[in-house]
Amino acid sequence: GPGSGKGTQCERIVKDYGLTHLSSGDLLRSEVESGSARGKRLKDIMERGELVSLDIVLELIRDAMTNNASSRGFLIDGFPRELEQGVRFEKEVAPCQFVLFFDVSEAVMQQRLLKRGETSGRVDDNEATIKKRFHTFQELTKPVIEHYRQQSKVVQIDASGSVDAVFSQVKSALESRGL
Ligand code: UP5
Ligand code: MG
């Protein structure tokens, strides 16, 4: 979910495991920063807490993977956001080994995001947009977790504790999956 700590944990994972971290949200934000016409449209969608069309995100991720083709593995943060995105990704790009799900209450996520919003400058770190991001997460992204749970690919992490406490669970999960 928004503010669950995906970016924070991915940075730690990359340091210890040498995977390539691709954040779908960061890729979209750099497209916005490029100042292109498409970037302007993306900014409006993100400001509303809605999802950008899956073709755009798929293309950004595919390009980023191609540019790092020699990587030992990819850690894709904040993705897939909707069921069809995951199905298309696995069909057109690569199969998914497993999914890390950072489970934490909306109250905690909101608190983290509002705190970050004091300095982040992110267009979506405000109370109104956070509410919409939670709604999008419940409606569109939760079914993705169920989809991968049925395939026994979900590793659920209690993400309510400190960054270190969360990371120690992540480490055991990755090591039990052979990383
Ligand atoms: N923090 C982190 N862990 C903490 C801990 N254990 N204890 C205390 N504080 C903790 O963390 C958020 C904040 O909490 C930080 O200040 C951190 O220090 C603190 P962070 O690691 O940044 O959380 P993260 O889960 O990465 O939060 P983020 O805001 O990035 O999540 P979103 O899922 O909302 O953002 P994302 O960038 O993935 O997407 C943004 C938008 O892009 C979406 O709303 C959507 O419009 C669009 N999008 C798509 O349309 N399609 C996509 O495929 C992807 C994105
Ligand atoms: Mg993030």
Side-chain angles (χ1 to χ4, degrees):
S4 58
K6 303 181 292 295
T8 304
Q9 294 297 322
C10 284
E11 265 179 45
R12 302 277 298 260
I13 295 170
V14 164
K15 264 194 210 136
D16 284 16
Y17 297 90
L19 301 170
T20 302
H21 173 208
L22 301 176
S23 158
S24 50
D26 287 350
L27 290 169
L28 290 167
R29 281 183 289 276
S30 35
E31 186 71 24
V32 172
E33 268 155 37
S34 78
S36 66
R38 177 160 87 170
K40 169 80 183 69
R41 287 196 297 277
L42 298 182
K43 177 167 179 259
D44 292 341
I45 296 168
M46 291 164 87
E47 211 158 10
R48 291 198 299 270
E50 293 170 4
L51 293 184
V52 170
S53 99
L54 64 92
D55 286 302
I56 294 181
V57 183
L58 213 50
E59 194 182 308
L60 288 172
I61 291 187
R62 197 195 322 248
D63 288 351
M65 288 176 80
T66 310
N67 292 337
N68 287 281
S70 61
S71 174
R72 71 179 285 237
F74 294 93
L75 182 61
I76 310 183
D77 154 5
F79 183 89
R81 289 300 242 260
E82 56 183 322
L83 201 50
E84 197 192 339
Q85 202 171 41
V87 172
R88 289 260 315 266
F89 176 83
E90 291 200 274
K91 205 156 87 186
E92 297 172 24
V93 185
C96 142
Q97 260 178 286
F98 58 91
V99 175
L100 285 169
F101 167 38
F102 294 111
D103 185 34
V104 55
S105 70
E106 285 189 1
V108 171
M109 294 195 284
Q110 182 181 35
Q111 206 176 26
R112 291 178 184 172
L113 291 173
L114 288 174
K115 182 152 186 286
R116 187 182 64 187
E118 292 167 10
T119 52
S120 69
R122 263 178 64 162
V123 295
D124 55 353
D125 278 347
N126 59 76
E127 216 167 325
T129 309
I130 291 169
K131 209 173 262 169
K132 293 185 194 152
R133 287 156 73 191
F134 288 161
H135 179 77
T136 302
F137 174 66
Q138 289 298 339
E139 293 295 308
L140 298 172
T141 311
K142 271 283 179 76
V144 174
I145 297 162
E146 289 317 312
H147 170 78
Y148 288 107
R149 214 192 286 282
Q150 283 164 15
Q151 301 175 23
S152 307
K153 283 186 173 176
V154 174
V155 178
Q156 184 158 334
I157 306 282
D158 172 1
S160 61
S162 67
V163 172
D164 285 342
V166 177
F167 188 60
S168 82
Q169 294 176 66
V170 168
K171 268 182 103 84
S172 338
L174 294 182
E175 277 152 33
S176 74
R177 293 261 169 173
L179 275 156

